Amino acid sequence: MLAVACGGNDEPPASQLVDYRRDILPIFSEHCFACHGPDEGRRLAGLRLDTRDDAIAERPDGRRAIAPGEPAASLVIERVRETDPARRMPPGGALSEAQIALLERWIAEGAQYERHWSFAPPSRPEVPGGAVDDAFDAFVLDRLAREGIEPSPAADPATLIRRVTLDLTGLPPTPAEVDAFVADPSDDAYAALVDRLLASPRHAEHLARDWLDFAGYGDTNGIYFDEERTMWPWRDWVIDAFARNEPFDDFLVAQIAGDLLPGASDDDVLATAFLRHAPTTEEGGIDEEEWRIQYAMDRASLVGGQLLGITVRCARCHDHKYDPIPARDFYRLTACFDRVRDRGRTAYQDDGVPLLAAQSPLQRAALDEVRAEMTRLRGELDAEGALARWESTVDRTAPSWIAPTYAALRTERGTILTEDAARSIVASGPVPNVETWWLDITAPAEIRAIRMELGGRRASDAPSISDVSARIERADRRTRVTFESASRLDGTAIPEIVDGRTTTKIYVESPTTIVLVPAETITLGEGETLSLRIDQRQGWSGVFRDIRVLVASEPRATLTDELDAILATPRASRTAAQQSLLRDHVARVHAEPATRAIAQRLSALEARERELAATPSTRVMRDDDPERVTHVRLRGQFDALGDRVTCGLPEVLTIDDPDARVRDRLELARWIVGPTSPTTARVIASHYVQLFFGRGLVGTPDDFGTRGEPPSHPELLDWLAIELRDGGWDMRALVRAIVTSDTYRQSSRIRADLLARDPQNRLFWRGPRGRLDAEVIRDQALFASGLLVESIGGPSVRPYHPDGLYEERQDSFGELVTYRPDRRPEQNHRRSLYTFWRRGSLLPSMAIVDAPSRVTPVARRDVTSTPTQALALMNEPVMVEAARHLAERMRREAGDDPDAQIRLAFRLLTARTPRDEEVAVLRAAYDAELDAALSDPSILGVLAIGESGRDSAGDPAAHAARTLVARTILNLSETLSRE
């Protein structure tokens, strides 16, 4: 009949009344409510204990489960003291004597119930000591004083600036910034530091990354083939909103109902993509209605759990077992999101209706900047003069196209490559769905242009080229070759095959010749090879039978047939269009270095303009089926229709506002951020405390119900919630209040006497400490090494990823049948916020350090510590690449003294100067690695990891040794944590 478990609280002193919410509700909630709670369908013995009227009501036998003032007459006490295990409650276990005594005391005191704290609107509490300006600290210190705990001393300035810079921007401070703050760590200097960080675009990106977790953002559908979807414009919208410090109530209203705002703009509609991130299926043969209603329920669960803080999803199949949320209320909330004419099956991007074809705010701003720079550069470029000078001196000898000499012919998936009598590369053996060829060229020593004569197909589908790249390789260095142009012989430009993005491709229906022109003449020195990589990733057995490669060194080799004909035409006889084509080509490829640099920059901007001018289509909300009827789904089954329901609120949240009514998403959104909503402001306030302390004021961020943890500082929570709401939902003000508090600025050193008493630091007796998130670990390494590319916004990018992982996880269909990383630094080395987020195959270097798949919204990330994390971070290509560039920076900025180099790297990553004994340990490692590199040249291979080039200055063996020391510093616990 009854099931009771320990609430986990100590018994209150005899002079203090037993508190229902603190002492009794945790006991009832743990087990009692499962059988004797709100869920009428699962209720046993006709007994309900979650409401006082039911609990004290007389039962058919004349007895009462709870008899106020009479514990001995209460059936609850009789059954928990029962000695017969078959009759004793809870089933399968017994309460401790202390727990039973708590129940007896409470009943003897009158068995008073109180409404669960989160279901009542917050009220402004009195600040202890009246210290309104320091309310955060006042509430924390008051609680510590009641517990007899002294706060920790302030963190040292170097630790504090690293902590707050990482927390606000996701990147570490520079040594110069550390030095400035250490020289003046005053309150005014700290406040100025915080204000500078809050105004930084990096801060907007960092908060946006957290919000992607909150919403469950992903770049793929998440189910079945897990194909790509276009949602990045919404990510841009979020970054822009945080950058503008948009009031958070407007931020939420736009994401829930921006399309319903009067005069809604494209940006308002784009914001509603917040509700379209849930996984969708691509599988054929499904019942469309089953999945369509699933998506509506996902949206209700997102809003209910993440914004209202209640587990409404638990009422999908039956009334909630613990909170007073009937299934009817879950479906009333679902009805608010059920007027969208979306499809159950979303095999292709166009299936994800409704769609918005519009550019993101960051996209528009970037396009304006690019066009302004293009206008400036065109004013500086003397392309006509460069053409005249080149034509007057150019060697007009016809190019001599020859087949190169190959050191090796390699493939990724087992295709066998051989050179035939005609010097064509012929494929035989296996016929994989996708393939990559590497052609390692050793001669000639000088190459001005490359021709690729593409042969026929090896299977039924047209073969494709998705990317062509090249690099000059030797044992200790790789130098990437940049192609200025790629075109067919007739002059048709095909820049997509050399843009570094392997997701773009061209199909080759018949034999075709492609001309590749490098930005600079390729020169091969002794021991160097040109590795030409040809990616064929169409994904449908479309691979080549043969390819013939020819190279030439004469200037005219860079010309397509069309340009060659123009060159042969006297200037006076050329059309304006012909003159323009030749002029632009010469400026980019053959002009003097200064002119060529401007022309190449202009060419890159033109490519960027084309990319930015494209209009993406993003999944959004639109109530385009206003007549749809929503039903309760009995037992959660899509085809078991119960009562009809209309858009409405969970009644448990409207007890203090009984007249609250919402008829659509807009009214729902406005109520959520309105003054009578009891939970949302609390949820957001606790979430941002969690963001900076690792734990919120409520330890269960998506469950503020009876099964969730009570707040550690209820008065502080209400104070922050009301300040947020009444202060115009100013998120920067909330963040500033948190990080400028003395509580946040405490030392994070562990005190043995408090570790066992409060291991999770719920009382805030020390400053925050914890491992950095996966994205911050990667970004910190790139930043310290100088590799990080800080362009803002745009499509997701594909960093390094283990070969073959996609193939292991799905069938051989779809665009994502295989993974090819982007190869240009401006793509590969961007902030991790922009990483392509494939839910079914997350980047392993992220997943291993607890980045979530985001198959569902994430209220708080789990944090684990495993040996494989250290193994991965020591060997992940991007970390090794960052280490070798950090090693270059060590020499460049600290000179040739290894000790000075070590001190610099240590400061870049930890913000403090290492102790002499720490330097000695790392110096010994350096010396050992240097000896090893001098005796074993294979160790120099570490300098060839990653797509970026290597500065050839300095001794390669010393560079390799520094790289391995830098890798060690990158992986120190202190580096991977914020102290």
Side-chain angles (χ1 to χ4, degrees):
M1 181 181 68
L2 298 176
V4 187
C6 176
N9 295 313
D10 296 331
E11 186 174 355
S15 60
Q16 180 180 330
L17 291 176
V18 175
D19 184 278
Y20 172 77
R21 291 191 299 194
R22 183 192 63 217
D23 304 317
I24 303 303
L25 180 58
I27 298 175
F28 279 176
S29 180
E30 181 65 23
H31 290 291
C32 297
F33 290 168
C35 300
H36 308 293
D39 185 358
E40 183 177 1
R42 303 296 180 90
R43 195 176 299 144
L44 299 181
L47 175 60
R48 184 173 185 178
L49 292 177
D50 62 309
T51 66
R52 190 173 191 272
D53 288 346
D54 288 299
I56 68 174
E58 187 174 290
R59 296 178 59 75
D61 60 1
R63 303 185 64 187
R64 291 182 289 176
I66 294 176
E70 302 178 78
S74 298
L75 186 58
V76 165
I77 300 301
E78 176 184 313
R79 296 300 296 273
V80 298
R81 287 197 175 279
E82 174 64 57
T83 59
D84 181 357
R87 289 178 49 78
R88 185 175 57 224
M89 294 293 157
L95 296 182
S96 68
E97 188 59 38
Q99 293 166 335
I100 296 173
L102 255 182
L103 289 172
E104 289 177 331
R105 275 187 58 185
W106 173 66
I107 293 172
E109 292 170 1
Q112 293 301 316
Y113 278 64
E114 297 173 84
R115 186 163 31 142
H116 184 60
W117 66 271
S118 70
F119 299 154
S123 57
R124 185 179 291 274
E126 291 292 327
V127 180
V132 175
D133 291 338
D134 297 306
F136 195 105
D137 291 327
F139 285 112
V140 171
L141 290 173
D142 180 68
R143 177 70 191 275
L144 289 175
R146 285 188 276 120
E147 298 286 343
I149 298 174
E150 287 291 325
S152 296
D156 67 85
T159 297
L160 181 57
I161 187 175
R162 181 174 184 267
R163 177 193 299 171
V164 74
T165 306
L166 283 167
D167 278 352
L168 291 182
T169 69
L171 295 171
T174 65
E177 291 168 339
V178 174
D179 289 342
F181 184 65
V182 169
D184 178 15
S186 64
D187 287 348
D188 287 345
Y190 182 70
L193 166 66
V194 169
D195 287 341
R196 175 175 62 81
L197 295 174
L198 290 173
S200 166
R202 296 172 178 172
H203 174 64
E205 289 180 304
H206 191 53
L207 289 190
R209 197 260 301 170
D210 169 71
W211 196 252
L212 300 193
D213 277 4
F214 198 90
Y217 172 92
D219 289 303
T220 59
N221 290 330
I223 301 175
Y224 202 50
F225 289 137
D226 195 22
E227 283 298 301
E228 186 170 358
R229 59 167 65 164
T230 300
M231 299 300 285
W232 61 263
W234 173 82
R235 179 179 59 204
D236 278 7
W237 180 89
V238 172
I239 296 169
D240 180 67
F242 279 121
R244 292 183 289 102
N245 193 30
E246 180 170 0
F248 211 73
D249 56 343
D250 293 343
F251 179 72
L252 293 182
V253 168
Q255 291 181 91
I256 298 171
D259 59 307
L260 300 180
L261 289 169
S265 66
D266 282 346
D267 286 352
D268 293 329
V269 179
L270 178 59
T272 65
F274 171 74
L275 296 172
R276 299 294 308 278
H277 292 303
T280 57
T281 187
E282 307 145 3
E283 186 175 4
I286 64 168
D287 188 304
E288 292 266 346
E289 177 63 11
E290 177 181 10
W291 285 93
R292 190 202 60 74
I293 192 63
Q294 174 66 51
Y295 305 151
M297 291 189 284
D298 286 340
R299 293 189 275 270
S301 297
L302 168 65
V303 171
Q306 298 291 80
L307 298 180
L308 298 178
I310 53 177
T311 54
V312 293
R313 63 185 179 278
C314 295
R316 169 180 171 168
C317 301
H318 48 72
D319 292 346
H320 203 293
K321 285 184 173 296
Y322 305 101
D323 296 331
I325 306 172
R328 180 182 179 85
D329 277 2
F330 173 72
Y331 286 100
R332 291 174 69 217
L333 186 61
T334 298
C336 300
F337 307 101
D338 195 26
R339 298 173 185 170
V340 184
R341 191 173 284 126
D342 51 352
R343 298 174 181 170
R345 181 173 184 260
T346 56
Y348 303 100
Q349 172 67 13
D350 289 346
D351 293 337
V353 293
L355 297 167
L356 172 71
Q359 296 174 333
S360 76
L362 294 184
Q363 190 179 359
R364 297 193 302 272
L367 186 59
D368 290 342
E369 292 177 6
V370 164
R371 285 173 172 166
E373 187 175 358
M374 289 170 63
T375 299
R376 180 183 64 79
L377 289 176
R378 283 176 179 140
E380 298 177 5
L381 181 64
D382 180 19
E384 197 65 49
L387 174 59
R389 291 188 293 273
W390 181 76
E391 282 199 79
S392 68
T393 60
V394 65
D395 179 2
R396 296 175 181 260
T397 303
S400 175
W401 292 98
I402 62 172
T405 301
Y406 299 106
L409 304 173
R410 301 174 287 126
T411 63
E412 183 179 72
R413 299 170 188 276
T415 300
I416 299 169
L417 300 182
T418 55
E419 190 176 10
D420 68 9
R423 306 296 303 276
S424 292
I425 308 301
V426 179
S428 61
V431 185
N433 293 328
V434 295
E435 186 58 285
T436 298
W437 294 12
W438 284 277
L439 313 181
D440 295 335
I441 298 170
T442 57
E446 190 172 285
I447 299 173
R448 197 65 194 88
I450 300 171
R451 280 193 176 185
M452 293 171 46
E453 297 176 356
L454 307 177
R457 66 191 69 178
R458 292 195 71 203
S460 58
D461 294 303
S464 67
I465 294 284
S466 55
D467 187 65
V468 178
S469 61
R471 58 192 185 192
I472 300 171
E473 297 188 345
R474 69 181 206 185
D476 64 340
R477 184 169 69 241
R478 290 176 176 173
T479 303
R480 182 173 171 271
V481 173
T482 300
F483 287 110
E484 177 52 39
S485 66
S487 58
R488 302 179 192 270
L489 274 181
D490 64 3
T492 304
I494 43 175
E496 59 268 27
I497 70 168
V498 291
D499 65 359
R501 292 183 178 273
T502 55
T503 54
T504 57
K505 53 186 172 286
I506 63 166
Y507 295 97
V508 182
E509 297 286 352
S510 59
T512 300
T513 298
I514 292 174
V515 179
L516 304 173
V517 178
E520 305 289 343
T521 299
I522 298 170
T523 303
L524 299 179
E526 185 177 353
E528 293 183 332
T529 61
L530 175 67
S531 181
L532 184 66
R533 175 173 178 154
I534 306 169
D535 273 307
Q536 307 167 50
R537 66 150 310 279
Q538 194 270 342
W540 300 84
S541 299
V543 291
F544 283 94
R545 181 184 62 220
D546 58 89
I547 297 178
R548 185 172 184 237
V549 175
L550 300 172
V551 297
S553 59
E554 294 84 0
R556 279 181 62 187
T558 68
L559 305 181
T560 63
D561 290 352
E562 179 186 28
L563 289 174
D564 200 45
I566 295 172
L567 178 63
T569 302
R571 290 174 62 91
S573 301
R574 296 172 191 165
T575 66
Q578 289 175 328
Q579 182 74 358
S580 177
L581 283 174
L582 186 60
R583 180 183 64 229
D584 291 348
H585 174 81
V586 169
R588 294 194 308 269
V589 178
H590 296 293
E592 301 86 348
T595 300
R596 193 165 66 245
I598 294 173
Q600 289 178 357
R601 174 60 180 159
L602 189 57
S603 177
L605 288 172
E606 289 169 348
R608 177 68 173 148
E609 181 192 30
R610 288 192 296 271
E611 179 181 290
L612 289 170
T615 301
S617 292
T618 310
R619 299 181 186 186
V620 294
M621 295 292 287
R622 190 175 295 116
D623 282 0
D624 46 13
D625 195 355
E627 303 304 319
R628 176 175 287 148
V629 175
T630 305
H631 293 265
V632 173
R633 308 285 168 146
L634 303 177
R635 301 176 304 283
Q637 294 296 312
F638 80 97
D639 55 355
L641 302 184
D643 294 341
R644 293 177 55 167
V645 290
T646 58
C647 178
L649 296 163
E651 291 185 2
V652 68
L653 301 181
T654 63
I655 295 174
D656 292 276
D657 186 15
D659 295 328
R661 297 288 185 273
V662 298
R663 292 166 296 182
D664 57 29
R665 281 183 288 115
L666 182 57
E667 292 184 357
L668 170 67
R670 286 173 170 163
W671 180 88
I672 283 174
V673 297
T676 61
S677 172
T679 55
T680 303
R682 285 170 168 150
V683 168
I684 298 303
S686 181
H687 178 81
Y688 279 89
V689 171
Q690 171 186 292
L691 193 61
F692 298 107
F693 282 90
R695 179 186 177 87
L697 294 170
V698 177
T700 49
D702 57 351
D703 187 2
F704 278 44
T706 58
R707 291 277 285 174
E709 290 187 16
S712 58
H713 300 73
E715 295 84 4
L716 173 58
L717 179 60
D718 279 6
W719 172 271
L720 291 175
I722 291 174
E723 283 292 297
L724 176 62
R725 187 190 68 199
D726 294 352
W729 293 85
D730 186 339
M731 292 308 299
R732 283 190 190 167
L734 173 64
V735 170
R736 194 179 193 280
I738 295 170
V739 301
T740 57
S741 68
D742 290 341
T743 304
Y744 175 82
R745 296 160 71 179
Q746 293 177 103
S747 167
S748 64
R749 290 186 179 275
I750 301 297
R751 289 150 58 182
D753 59 322
L754 294 175
L755 184 58
R757 182 174 173 184
D758 182 19
Q760 296 183 338
N761 193 32
R762 295 186 76 225
L763 300 178
F764 301 135
W765 51 268
R766 60 171 175 83
R769 185 183 191 279
R771 209 220 30 240
L772 299 175
D773 285 343
E775 296 92 333
V776 180
I777 290 173
R778 178 178 178 274
D779 293 351
Q780 174 181 246
L782 291 173
F783 181 78
S785 70
L787 285 175
L788 186 67
V789 175
E790 294 196 68
S791 57
I792 300 176
S796 296
V797 295
R798 291 164 167 81
Y800 307 131
H801 192 298
D803 288 337
L805 191 60
Y806 275 20
E807 293 86 334
E808 293 176 5
R809 300 205 171 189
Q810 70 164 47
D811 294 330
S812 57
F813 289 97
E815 291 298 313
L816 298 182
V817 65
T818 190
Y819 184 92
R820 292 286 185 270
D822 293 326
R823 295 194 180 87
R824 291 194 174 184
E826 58 267 28
Q827 299 156 350
N828 215 330
H829 297 147
R830 295 191 66 194
R831 289 197 71 165
S832 302
L833 164 69
Y834 302 106
T835 296
F836 185 76
W837 215 263
R838 189 177 191 188
R839 289 162 156 143
S841 189
L842 189 61
L843 201 68
S845 59
M846 298 277 197
I848 202 166
V849 277
D850 307 313
S853 67
R854 300 192 187 130
V855 170
T856 58
V858 180
R860 181 177 62 194
R861 291 189 178 190
D862 296 326
V863 179
T864 63
S865 180
T866 68
T868 51
Q869 291 171 341
L871 182 67
L873 292 175
M874 289 289 282
N875 295 283
E876 176 66 26
V878 72
M879 299 298 285
V880 179
E881 183 181 29
R884 68 178 176 87
H885 280 272
L886 177 57
E888 289 181 0
R889 182 177 182 181
M890 291 160 66
R891 180 183 180 277
R892 187 169 58 249
E893 296 184 15
D896 293 326
D897 178 9
D899 288 359
Q901 295 168 355
I902 289 168
R903 288 189 173 90
L904 172 64
F906 203 96
R907 288 200 68 207
L908 285 168
L909 290 161
T910 70
R912 70 173 178 87
T913 301
R915 298 184 295 274
D916 289 344
E917 56 268 31
E918 292 171 322
V919 174
V921 170
L922 292 168
R923 175 59 187 271
Y926 170 80
D927 291 340
E929 296 290 358
L930 180 59
D931 290 343
L934 290 171
S935 61
D936 181 2
S938 68
I939 292 177
L940 301 184
V942 74
L943 303 179
I945 293 177
E947 293 290 334
S948 58
R950 172 181 171 258
D951 183 352
S952 59
D955 175 41
H959 187 185
R962 282 196 309 276
T963 295
L964 297 172
V965 170
R967 186 176 68 166
T968 299
I969 298 172
L970 279 167
N971 285 277
L972 295 174
S973 175
E974 189 173 349
T975 300
L976 302 178
S977 305
R978 56 180 176 78
E979 302 283 343

